[in-house]
Amino acid sequence: MLDAVGGIHDGIGNAVWNHWKKDNQNTKVMFLDNLSERDKKELLFEVADIFAFFLNIPIALGFKSEDVYNALMTKIIENQKRQENGY
C-alpha cells in the first residue's frame, strides 16, 4: 500500500516510504488528488487487500464470519453515534 501512495504507475515510483529514497520527503506532502486515476485504483485495491487480511484473522481464530460482520456493524453504529454526539 505504501508503494501505491507514491504512485506506482504514474507517480514517483515504488518504495518511496523508505527514508533513504530521494523522493521520500515529496511523498510526505502528497494527497490522494496528487495520484493518477490508475494509481488511485491501485491504492484502493491495496487497501481492500489489507482489509481482507485483517478480516480473516478472527475467522482463522474460529469466529464465524457472521459474528465478525455483526461486531463490525455494531462498532460502526456506535462510532456514528459518538460522532453525532460530539464524542
Side-chain angles (χ1 to χ4, degrees):
M1 181 185 85
L2 292 174
D3 283 346
V5 171
I8 290 177
H9 301 292
D10 306 315
I12 295 170
N14 61 7
V16 292
W17 48 271
N18 289 314
H19 64 87
W20 60 85
K21 293 281 189 169
K22 67 177 179 132
D23 288 320
N24 174 267
Q25 295 299 316
N26 296 335
T27 59
K28 291 181 179 182
V29 295
M30 287 181 71
F31 294 95
L32 193 58
D33 288 342
N34 297 122
L35 297 177
S36 68
E37 290 304 314
R38 184 178 177 193
D39 280 331
K40 286 180 192 176
K41 186 176 182 180
E42 182 68 34
L43 178 58
L44 184 58
F45 283 148
E46 293 298 327
V47 170
D49 217 12
I50 292 168
F51 185 64
F53 172 77
F54 279 106
L55 282 179
N56 282 313
I57 292 173
I59 295 168
L61 293 173
F63 290 98
K64 294 179 182 176
S65 58
E66 296 85 12
D67 296 333
V68 175
Y69 173 81
N70 289 334
L72 180 60
M73 295 309 296
T74 300
K75 188 63 178 171
I76 288 171
I77 292 168
E78 178 182 319
N79 287 342
Q80 287 172 337
K81 288 179 182 176
R82 287 177 173 174
Q83 290 174 2
E84 291 168 3
N85 294 320
Y87 177 74

